[in-house]
Amino acid sequence: MGDPGIYLEKLALFSRLLRQEGLPVSPRETADASRVLMEFGLGDREQVKTALRTVYASSRQEQLVFDRVFDGFFISEEAMREQARQRARQEAEAAQAREDAAKDLQVGGEPMDLSPEQMDTYVSMPEEARQKLRRFMEKYRSTAERNPELYSNFIHSVFTKTLLEQQLLMEDAGLGAEAADPEIGLLFRDISQFGDHEIPKAISIIQTVSRQINGELTAKRKRSGHSGKLDFRRTIRKGLETGGSFYRLHYKKKRHRRKRLVVLCDVSGSMVQFSEFALRFIQSLNQVSESSRVFLFSEQMTEADAFSLQNMDLFRSHVRDSGVYGKGTDLGSALEKICAMEPAALNSSTTLLILSDTKTIDQPRAVAALQNAKRQSGRVLWLNPIPESHWQHIRSVQVFSSLCSMVSCSTLGSLAAACRKLTV
Amino acid sequence: MNLEELKQKMDEAKYVYDDTLATVLAVALKLGRPLLIEGAAGVGKTEIAKVMAHALDRDLVRMQCYEGLDESKALYEWNYQKQLLAIQVDMGRTDSDELTRGLFSDEYLLERPLLKSIRSERPVVLLIDEIDKADEEFEAFLLELLSEMQVSIPEVGTIKAKTIPFVVLTSNRARPLSEALRRRCAYLYIQYPDMEKELAILRAKLPHVDDRLCAQVALAVQKLRGSEAILKKPSIAETLDWAAALDALGIRELTPDALRQTAGFILKNSEDLAVLEQTDVTAPHEHCGHCGGHHHG
């Protein structure tokens, strides 16, 4: 081993990188890591990696982050040269592609006004998609001669929209380290992307997590203590066991009221998988399941009974038989019906839970109905399967999220976190 | 103990390990940190503590966690009955202050696993099993023990560890553990063994069982674990039980019939058994159609 000072300096830098990646690394970890390196030496790369991982990472997720940072930081000289060569090659290719793109994207002989990110997106698009855009420009070329400014604005807006969609698609395709984990990866992946073969695994994860939430609630109830009133009867009775001395005082327990929940569940074509998973979670929560009512809606609305929510097959056949499946979405009409129910479905002690992607016909009516429902119920919570990073681009999400608390639930992990909130 | 010595000790215990596991254990020992082991049920987390007890030549003190576990079950309890008797016997003979002091002495203290592990004259291996089943309160209580190696008993004061135990905590990830607890531990995540390791375990633990049968069992278990449709994946202990059961029944070849007869040893719920009916896990590996079940690593 060479000068230890150099290694310690590198180790401190490595710790800083890990911290930047979100790992809670304190000086203690760095000190421990240096002790470990002194003990094991630097001869075997895999051994060093394992030893440092033991010190720095304290969960499976952190291990995955650690591996990524370590592989990027401690690389062999040969690998470093190869990476540099590869990067130079990629940069040359990218520069050429950008030049070609600049030639493609000209309006009236002038380069189109696109940001560098948009230009990069165009470069990374598949050739087929680029051809489609070029054909589109060609089609409207004659208009350019008549009104160059209008043409330029129009083409620009179409390009921006297409590039944005492409960017979102690429974001969705890129899986994080957690999503690649074979055991818990499903917790971090978009529910709508689950394949049929992954559904049993997803259900088993839901069962585990809901058991966990139920366990936490039981523990919380146990901890929440007594009502403050002495239970004379139990204290005297227990005192008899210890010769009449009141060794332990017993108190009356607090009474716990179950939460009342009204679930309004969108079962239009794109939402049915998400709704199925969300309902599974909600039904398995002891705290809310017995006192909840579930309404399914698309253009019409129908109430689902507990029997039809027992398993996935029953739920799907119930949705199909009820005639609400696969139609458009009319949230306004569904909310109006719930608000007008006799006896009232909503009151100050109920939580109205809406499972929907906010896409509805007649948005103004839906907004008015939601405001009315909010007045009638104690609390309104909206579970939205659209990832939060996309919200800023969707107008309906912005409108509804300003009216009630909306939680993004695109993954089982976030759905579980939202269900925890329900029981608070 | 250095890495090589540790490996030698684990070899003596006929424990099948890989370099990763050995390195993690050596790091935890070197730093004197508790070791937190996570992984699915049945991957051999508890076994590691037993092997460490053997390797370090220490006693194993085990504490099984469950919901509602509290200090009186984990740390100490006053022997109440004995205290009452002492009061009855000494009533009127001793002055009350002395009597009270005497009541909270070692004589009336019932040691539970945590206290036992730090008051032991010889260092021990302390296994805190399935910590995820205990309440968060208990986790917080463990922090003092794990970081300072001392515990506080209100009637007695702070008790410092006479010897430092090697602490192993296991978790099935039924609930997330607190960051504070994680930070105090060295961390190990273990997965189900691959074909090669599973076969090595079968050979080490059941040397009398036919090699060919072991290979077939290991291959079938790998297939079952790889199937998305199987909800409760077979554990290593179940693999060993299954191979032992097949051997006890005099079965030398894992045929579909033999599998049906003994499926209860490896799959423990009706849905999984129904899946097994539709899958042929006894067929040779798809990459190697002509072998009789040699190992594929």
Side-chain angles (χ1 to χ4, degrees):
Chain A
M1 207 162 158
D3 177 14
I6 297 174
Y7 293 108
L8 289 179
E9 206 176 295
K10 283 203 189 313
L11 201 59
L13 180 63
F14 181 60
S15 297
R16 212 158 52 231
L17 275 180
L18 286 173
R19 223 172 282 136
Q20 276 172 11
E21 290 294 322
L23 259 59
V25 175
S26 67
R28 185 189 165 192
E29 270 81 35
T30 312
D32 282 351
S34 60
R35 275 177 68 196
V36 166
L37 284 187
M38 296 287 182
E39 170 77 14
F40 291 94
L42 292 159
D44 182 344
R45 185 177 186 276
E46 275 312 302
Q47 196 180 62
V48 170
K49 186 174 176 179
T50 308
L52 291 184
R53 187 170 49 206
T54 310
V55 174
Y56 282 115
S58 61
S59 70
R60 180 68 179 141
Q61 285 89 328
E62 285 183 13
Q63 281 192 338
L64 297 168
V65 176
F66 173 88
D67 285 353
R68 186 163 45 78
V69 178
F70 184 91
D71 290 338
F73 190 81
F74 293 99
I75 48 176
S76 66
E77 211 171 312
E78 182 52 36
M80 219 185 307
R81 282 208 191 92
E82 179 54 35
Q83 272 187 10
R85 275 197 293 273
Q86 210 174 343
R87 206 176 302 129
R89 210 166 39 239
Q90 278 170 353
E91 271 171 17
E93 279 170 12
Q96 181 62 40
R98 256 184 243 118
E99 258 179 48
D100 294 345
K103 279 181 205 157
D104 282 351
L105 306 176
Q106 286 190 350
V107 181
E110 289 293 314
M112 197 184 284
D113 177 28
L114 291 175
S115 67
E117 289 82 25
Q118 286 170 333
M119 195 64 105
D120 285 343
T121 309
Y122 177 79
V123 169
S124 61
M125 274 164 73
E127 180 54 28
E128 201 181 324
R130 280 189 295 196
Q131 266 180 11
K132 204 171 154 190
L133 277 175
R134 286 200 295 268
R135 275 202 301 275
F136 178 79
M137 275 173 84
E138 207 55 45
K139 194 174 161 189
Y140 287 92
R141 195 167 288 281
S142 57
T143 321
E145 286 152 18
R146 287 198 299 276
N147 192 339
E149 198 182 333
L150 183 66
Y151 170 75
S152 169
N153 287 342
F154 174 60
I155 288 289
H156 187 261
S157 67
V158 171
F159 260 72
T160 316
K161 183 171 171 283
T162 314
L163 296 177
L164 184 68
E165 281 171 3
Q166 189 67 28
Q167 258 172 352
L168 293 181
L169 270 178
M170 288 195 295
E171 275 170 26
D172 288 347
L175 291 178
E178 290 90 354
D181 187 307
E183 199 193 321
I184 55 163
L186 277 185
L187 267 178
F188 301 97
R189 291 211 345 240
D190 196 330
I191 293 173
S192 60
Q193 310 289 324
F194 286 178
D196 284 348
H197 66 283
E198 288 169 324
I199 287 176
K201 175 90 183 166
I203 292 170
S204 125
I205 288 180
I206 291 177
Q207 284 166 346
T208 312
V209 175
S210 48
R211 219 176 18 241
Q212 181 186 322
I213 298 175
N214 285 331
E216 282 169 23
L217 291 172
T218 316
K220 213 175 271 176
R221 266 203 300 282
K222 274 186 187 158
R223 277 200 302 276
S224 61
H226 50 75
S227 62
K229 288 181 186 165
L230 192 67
D231 188 339
F232 285 106
R233 195 184 166 86
R234 281 188 69 210
T235 305
I236 292 169
R237 200 171 265 216
K238 285 281 173 189
L240 293 178
E241 290 173 8
T242 51
S245 58
F246 302 135
Y247 176 58
R248 271 202 184 110
L249 299 177
H250 293 268
Y251 292 89
K252 287 185 174 166
K253 291 258 187 266
K254 270 184 193 166
R255 297 185 126 222
H256 289 275
R257 290 180 61 189
R258 285 189 183 275
K259 312 269 176 188
R260 287 193 57 227
L261 195 68
V262 172
V263 187
L264 185 57
C265 184
D266 186 347
V267 287
S268 56
S270 60
M271 279 290 299
V272 76
Q273 179 138 313
F274 171 75
S275 299
E276 156 70 30
F277 282 120
L279 285 175
R280 244 173 207 287
F281 255 121
I282 294 159
Q283 288 301 311
S284 53
L285 297 180
N286 298 338
Q287 178 82 352
V288 292
S289 63
E290 283 169 28
S291 48
S292 65
R293 289 178 78 179
V294 177
F295 297 93
L296 310 175
F297 80 100
S298 57
E299 282 172 9
Q300 294 108 37
M301 191 185 73
T302 169
E303 184 165 2
D305 53 37
F307 177 71
S308 64
L309 296 170
Q310 272 177 357
N311 67 43
M312 187 172 264
D313 293 336
L314 280 174
F315 174 73
R316 294 215 158 167
S317 60
H318 177 79
V319 170
R320 288 208 163 82
D321 295 346
S322 62
V324 293
Y325 176 68
K327 296 189 175 168
T329 311
D330 190 352
L331 177 65
S333 149
L335 280 171
E336 280 171 6
K337 278 182 192 155
I338 286 190
C339 291
M341 272 183 172
E342 287 293 342
L346 301 176
N347 60 42
S348 57
S349 65
T350 52
T351 297
L352 172 63
L353 182 72
I354 303 173
L355 312 179
S356 169
D357 55 7
T358 73
K359 290 169 190 160
T360 175
I361 55 169
D362 202 354
Q363 194 175 305
R365 183 182 172 197
V367 168
L370 181 61
Q371 279 169 331
N372 187 24
K374 200 176 162 188
R375 272 193 294 276
Q376 285 193 20
S377 57
R379 183 178 168 211
V380 180
L381 188 65
W382 192 308
L383 304 190
N384 189 344
I386 299 174
E388 200 165 354
S389 57
H390 298 191
W391 285 9
Q392 52 177 317
H393 309 299
I394 303 168
R395 203 177 157 69
S396 58
V397 175
Q398 289 165 4
V399 172
F400 289 117
S401 62
S402 66
L403 294 173
C404 59
S405 58
M406 189 178 280
V407 185
S408 169
C409 294
S410 55
T411 63
L412 286 181
S414 52
L415 195 54
C419 286
R420 264 199 188 90
K421 276 192 186 173
L422 278 179
T423 54
V424 176
Chain B
M1 182 180 283
N2 65 28
L3 183 59
E4 289 313 313
E5 285 168 355
L6 181 65
K7 282 183 178 178
Q8 202 183 330
K9 291 281 185 187
M10 288 201 287
D11 286 335
E12 281 170 19
K14 289 189 179 170
Y15 183 73
V16 181
Y17 60 90
D18 52 25
D19 282 346
T20 306
L21 176 61
T23 309
V24 171
L25 290 172
V27 169
L29 273 175
K30 171 75 191 163
L31 299 177
R33 277 208 209 181
L35 177 66
L36 170 63
I37 311 174
E38 285 193 330
V43 292
K45 299 183 291 293
T46 307
E47 191 64 22
I48 291 178
K50 293 181 188 166
V51 170
M52 284 307 282
H54 182 274
L56 300 171
D57 191 23
R58 295 182 182 185
D59 287 338
L60 176 72
V61 177
R62 177 175 177 161
M63 192 178 69
Q64 175 66 47
C65 296
Y66 52 87
E67 211 178 296
L69 176 69
D70 58 12
E71 287 176 36
S72 66
K73 300 284 188 309
L75 186 63
Y76 75 99
E77 201 171 11
W78 290 109
N79 191 339
Y80 178 61
Q81 283 79 10
K82 205 172 169 185
Q83 282 174 326
L84 276 182
L85 278 174
I87 294 169
Q88 302 288 333
V89 170
D90 292 341
M91 200 176 282
R93 279 196 288 169
T94 330
D95 78 290
S96 60
D97 283 350
E98 196 180 322
L99 177 60
T100 312
R101 272 197 302 278
L103 284 177
F104 294 106
S105 61
D106 264 9
E107 197 186 339
Y108 301 98
L109 192 65
L110 293 175
E111 280 183 350
R112 300 296 184 213
L114 294 183
L115 192 60
K116 191 177 167 188
S117 69
I118 61 167
R119 297 216 316 172
S120 165
E121 295 296 334
R122 285 187 65 222
V124 297
V125 171
L126 170 65
L127 167 64
I128 302 176
D129 211 5
E130 302 189 334
I131 178 72
D132 51 329
K133 285 190 180 163
D135 307 328
E136 283 164 26
E137 254 179 4
F138 182 72
E139 240 185 270
F141 156 74
L142 268 184
L143 295 180
E144 185 190 3
L145 176 78
L146 296 182
S147 55
E148 309 298 331
M149 282 297 159
Q150 63 175 37
V151 287
S152 303
I153 298 178
E155 298 87 350
V156 178
T158 302
I159 298 181
K160 287 196 187 302
K162 283 184 187 165
T163 51
I164 306 293
F166 179 67
V167 184
V168 177
L169 299 107
T170 72
S171 161
N172 291 334
R173 302 209 285 184
R175 73 170 173 81
L177 301 177
S178 72
E179 271 304 307
L181 181 72
R182 287 180 175 283
R183 291 264 73 84
R184 283 164 174 80
C185 300
Y187 179 77
L188 172 67
Y189 177 79
I190 46 178
Q191 288 170 310
Y192 288 112
D194 57 14
M195 173 79 192
E196 199 174 335
K197 193 174 173 190
E198 187 128 49
L199 194 54
I201 295 170
L202 278 166
R203 282 178 179 150
K205 300 280 179 190
L206 303 170
H208 55 283
V209 177
D210 184 38
D211 256 12
R212 185 178 155 82
L213 181 65
C214 282
Q216 288 174 339
V217 165
L219 182 61
V221 170
Q222 291 289 320
K223 282 191 184 175
L224 287 172
R225 287 204 197 113
S227 165
E228 289 285 344
I230 301 286
L231 297 176
K232 157 80 183 68
K233 311 286 185 211
S235 68
I236 298 173
E238 282 164 337
T239 310
L240 290 169
D241 286 350
W242 190 30
L246 287 166
D247 185 58
L249 290 170
I251 295 168
R252 294 280 166 270
E253 180 87 18
L254 187 62
T255 58
D257 268 349
L259 178 62
R260 257 192 298 280
Q261 277 175 27
T262 54
F265 282 95
I266 198 84
L267 297 175
K268 306 287 170 69
N269 66 47
S270 57
E271 291 89 348
D272 289 347
L273 287 169
V275 172
L276 184 68
E277 288 290 318
Q278 294 152 17
T279 332
D280 184 11
V281 293
T282 57
H285 201 280
E286 56 197 25
H287 298 303
C288 179
H290 49 77
C291 74
H294 65 69
H295 74 83
H296 290 252

